[in-house]
Amino acid sequence: MPLQLVETSDEDSFVSVAQHVAELLNEGQTRTALADTPATLFLNDCVNLIQEQRYLEYVSRISTKVDSIYAKMPEKEAECCISIVIHAVGRVPEQGQQAAATTLAAALCQSDDRAEERLTALLSLYGILSSQPSAQLAVLLATAGYAARNSAKCRATFCTAVRGKAQRWVALWSLGPAESRQLYLALAAAMRGASDRPTTREHLALVGLALALPGTPDKAPEVAEAAAGALADYLRSSSMYTLDLLQLPAVAALADHPRYGPLHNLVTAVLAGDVAAARGASIPAALEAAGGVTSEAVLSKARMTALLAACSRAGQGEVPLGDLKVALDVAEDQVQSWIVRAIGAKLIEGRVDTVRGTFSVARSTHPCFGQQQWSKLASQLASLRETVAVAVSTMSQIRPPPHIGARSATTPAAMRA
């Protein structure tokens, strides 16, 4: 079959989309000879807008039919049409690009039907706005909200696309505290409840960044929701044993919250490694606020945290196995199994001496690295700096024996000879 090449232009593609949409409007309508049917009027309007290069109005007209495109067109055809409309956004003059982008984004977010295709379109729309930071931010926030309310697959796709980029966006777009907080919280909401460790860690980091910004309203509903979501994610995760959020004012304010107070008390007990307190705080209200986590999972996390806390306090010293038995509140023959679990998870390093009944700590993860830990680290660094300074001073006062200097002085002459 011979290959036939046909010259086309962007304008032809834009008209083709309008024609396809007009055909959807004609479905179920009685064919008449009248030229002013809804489909014909729509098509004529779009053609005139394209000819006059009024792409902002063209995008707005097509955006009103986005739901029809996804409802009535096959997947590939709908994807092609939406991609062309996104390309049309790039043809809008810079002063109107944000309006066109937000209009199309709102239309894409209007329904959860074929959510994965719509999310892909939103990410493509974000990508075409490289020269418009304010438009990118608006589309990114809309995309984050859309991902947050949809399926786990949608959220996973979105999280993969944005992971690790939040702080770079804040710096690149020169966002102030209020805008930065809005961006961090929107991204965190989309990542909340993820099952994989990298996304959970990113969620906790984003919440921490948002709540640490100056001017954060500690008791605002959206702030309380974000703080409680982070605490719940920490409890639900079977691989996260560190949390540095409790000292933030917005998180501390949850202690008096009518709904999230029990959750805050439970996380405080777990993070302290207090197994007895964690058992007492595992009331139905706290477990429900944590997303239905079981009391057994809470006690398991509390025991592992107790082990980490005991090893962290020991530094690179030894911890009696009897002390670990008391801290973990387990039988004596179960202590070593908990140590093995922690070593397998790369939370601690060390060696068990069964003869002496001790565990020698080589390295341990801190459950919480707060002001106390920073102060201790600062004192250790100061002591190390002082030791190095004394060693340098001592070495500078040492003079080499005379014969060494004489030998080095005569060596070049001997070599020349």
Side-chain angles (χ1 to χ4, degrees):
M1 178 182 296
L3 180 64
Q4 184 177 5
L5 299 178
V6 180
E7 184 177 354
T8 61
S9 65
D10 288 344
E11 288 74 12
D12 294 333
S13 300
F14 301 151
V15 171
S16 296
V17 172
Q19 289 173 341
H20 277 68
V21 175
E23 291 175 4
L24 298 180
L25 298 177
N26 270 332
E27 287 185 5
Q29 301 293 325
T30 304
R31 297 285 182 175
T32 67
L34 297 177
D36 57 351
T37 63
T40 306
L41 292 173
F42 175 84
L43 178 58
N44 290 339
D45 285 348
C46 289
V47 171
N48 291 334
L49 294 173
I50 293 168
Q51 290 175 347
E52 297 171 9
Q53 297 187 355
R54 294 157 59 188
Y55 294 109
L56 172 57
E57 296 171 64
Y58 169 77
V59 171
S60 299
R61 289 285 282 148
I62 298 295
S63 295
T64 61
K65 308 301 178 186
V66 164
D67 286 348
S68 297
I69 291 174
Y70 280 113
K72 298 180 180 180
M73 286 187 185
E75 178 180 345
K76 292 299 181 182
E77 190 174 335
E79 179 184 355
C80 183
C81 286
I82 296 298
S83 296
I84 293 172
V85 178
I86 292 172
H87 182 63
V89 173
R91 298 287 294 271
V92 177
E94 288 190 1
Q95 62 270 22
Q97 226 171 52
Q98 181 169 350
T102 53
T103 299
L104 181 56
L108 290 168
C109 296
Q110 198 168 351
S111 170
D112 294 340
D113 180 43
R114 294 166 72 166
E116 294 171 24
E117 298 172 41
R118 290 172 182 259
L119 181 68
T120 301
L122 285 165
L123 293 174
S124 299
L125 177 60
Y126 163 84
I128 205 171
L129 301 168
S130 57
S131 62
Q132 292 286 322
S134 58
Q136 280 191 313
L137 176 60
V139 172
L140 185 60
L141 292 174
T143 308
Y146 189 75
R149 78 177 196 231
N150 270 287
S151 65
K153 188 173 182 180
C154 277
R155 287 187 283 116
T157 300
F158 177 76
C159 293
T160 302
V162 304
R163 183 177 294 132
K165 299 177 181 177
Q167 288 181 283
R168 189 182 72 185
W169 281 324
V170 168
L172 181 65
W173 297 336
S174 302
L175 301 182
E179 290 179 315
S180 300
R181 186 182 309 109
Q182 184 184 18
L183 176 60
Y184 288 147
L185 292 182
L187 297 178
M191 297 182 179
R192 181 177 176 179
S195 58
D196 60 303
R197 182 178 180 180
T199 306
T200 301
R201 186 180 294 278
E202 178 88 354
H203 172 228
L204 298 179
L206 287 171
V207 173
L209 290 171
L211 302 187
L213 289 170
T216 300
D218 297 344
K219 296 187 178 182
E222 65 275 12
V223 172
E225 286 289 335
L231 298 187
D233 256 15
Y234 164 77
L235 278 184
R236 282 196 303 266
S237 175
S238 59
S239 57
M240 296 289 298
Y241 295 97
T242 59
L243 186 70
D244 299 329
L245 301 180
L246 285 183
Q247 297 179 3
L248 294 175
V251 180
L254 292 180
D256 300 325
H257 196 281
R259 178 181 176 186
Y260 299 124
L263 173 63
H264 182 274
N265 294 337
L266 178 58
V267 172
T268 301
V270 170
L271 199 58
D274 191 335
V275 178
R279 185 183 289 109
S282 298
I283 60 177
L287 300 178
E288 182 181 356
V293 66
T294 64
S295 57
E296 291 78 11
V298 169
L299 290 179
S300 177
K301 183 177 284 287
R303 288 191 171 103
M304 183 62 77
T305 308
L307 174 61
L308 299 182
C311 293
S312 298
R313 287 192 296 268
Q316 291 186 333
E318 294 183 342
V319 183
L321 297 181
D323 291 353
L324 293 180
K325 169 185 174 298
V326 174
L328 272 64
D329 192 15
V330 294
E332 186 174 354
D333 58 352
Q334 295 180 7
V335 173
Q336 292 192 40
S337 65
W338 280 95
I339 294 175
V340 171
R341 284 177 57 184
I343 293 175
K346 299 182 179 180
L347 296 171
I348 60 174
E349 294 177 4
R351 181 174 58 85
V352 175
D353 188 335
T354 55
V355 176
R356 298 174 55 234
T358 60
F359 175 64
S360 300
V361 182
R363 180 191 65 83
S364 178
T365 300
H366 290 268
C368 176
F369 207 88
Q371 187 60 42
Q372 180 181 357
Q373 286 73 29
W374 282 113
S375 299
K376 182 179 179 181
L377 179 61
S379 63
Q380 290 174 339
L381 290 175
S383 176
L384 178 62
R385 189 181 297 110
E386 183 179 352
T387 301
V388 171
V390 170
V392 170
S393 176
T394 303
M395 294 178 65
S396 65
Q397 296 174 5
I398 299 177
R399 296 289 185 269
H403 69 276
I404 295 180
R407 181 179 302 173
S408 62
T410 57
T411 299
M415 291 178 64
R416 286 196 300 272

